[in-house]
Amino acid sequence: MTLAACATLGSLPLSIYPDFSWLSALVETATGWFGLAIIFAYSFLIAFALPGVSEIVLAAPLNLGLPRSVVLGIIILVSGVGKAAGSVFAFYLGRETKESGVVDRLLEKLPVDVMGWSERKTVEIAQRWGYAGLAAALCVPGFPDTLSIYAFSILEDDYVKFAAATFVGSCGRLVVTVVGLTAVGFVI
């Protein structure tokens, strides 16, 4: 199976996905300690199935009775663990899909190279940087996580290193987002 085939799983047009706006709204209104379970579930799902970006978890008004900086740290860790767990599931799906060849056959029928450029860049990063490249790719705010996760799942074969890289990248992405938003004067 090509990387384009797996990457396409996570980057299909939003119109083919069911409407998950209710889930984003749930995250944005999550309060209390139960809100952490919502953040974990959202992060788990966004790693392999949901369209969109993971930064939305930073908007959760958890109200845990702790300073906001501590709450942000907790959100980042919970989201990172959720995305690492979801990435392991995506890793498994990617490996199984690679062996089945179903997506390859579907993509071969398309008149254009849907993911050619992304595939080349992802392969280049993976071959040059390995798991560190995956972590770095996941640190880019706004970039769809599923593209990198599925693409790397084809090239790599160590579940633990894969989960660790997605944890580091996911936490890094949220830290970069917090620092960036704070630098421009946005209060989180």
Side-chain angles (χ1 to χ4, degrees):
M1 172 177 240
T2 66
L3 283 178
C6 283
T8 299
L9 292 174
S11 61
L12 293 170
L14 292 180
S15 61
I16 70 148
Y17 287 103
D19 181 14
F20 286 106
S21 60
W22 63 271
L23 189 54
S24 295
L26 186 62
V27 170
E28 292 172 1
T29 58
T31 60
W33 292 98
F34 182 70
L36 291 174
I38 294 168
I39 289 170
F40 177 88
Y42 179 81
S43 299
F44 179 88
L45 291 170
I46 204 158
F48 71 92
L50 293 181
V53 294
S54 58
E55 292 85 351
I56 193 77
V57 299
L58 295 172
L62 291 181
N63 303 325
L64 302 177
L66 301 168
R68 184 64 182 162
S69 60
V70 173
V71 172
L72 283 173
I74 292 170
I75 288 171
I76 290 169
L77 290 175
V78 168
S79 179
V81 170
K83 198 175 308 172
S87 73
V88 169
F89 186 65
F91 187 89
Y92 171 77
L93 290 176
R95 307 293 295 169
E96 291 298 312
T97 304
K98 176 183 173 185
E99 292 174 15
S100 75
V102 171
V103 176
D104 271 345
R105 289 189 296 276
L106 291 173
L107 287 177
E108 288 171 358
K109 295 178 182 180
L110 295 176
V112 294
D113 183 9
V114 178
M115 299 298 293
W117 181 85
S118 295
E119 177 182 353
R120 285 188 299 279
K121 288 298 175 190
T122 304
V123 169
E124 182 181 310
I125 291 169
Q127 290 174 336
R128 185 169 185 179
W129 302 102
Y131 294 105
L134 172 59
L138 291 174
C139 281
V140 178
F143 189 74
D145 299 341
T146 49
L147 175 64
S148 298
I149 290 170
Y150 277 110
F152 274 84
S153 73
I154 297 306
L155 298 173
E156 304 297 342
D157 59 359
D158 187 318
Y159 280 91
V160 174
K161 288 180 183 177
F162 193 81
T166 56
F167 175 79
V168 168
S170 299
C171 290
R173 168 190 224 142
L174 295 176
V175 168
V176 166
T177 302
V178 168
V179 169
L181 291 174
T182 303
V184 298
F186 191 80
V187 179
I188 298 177

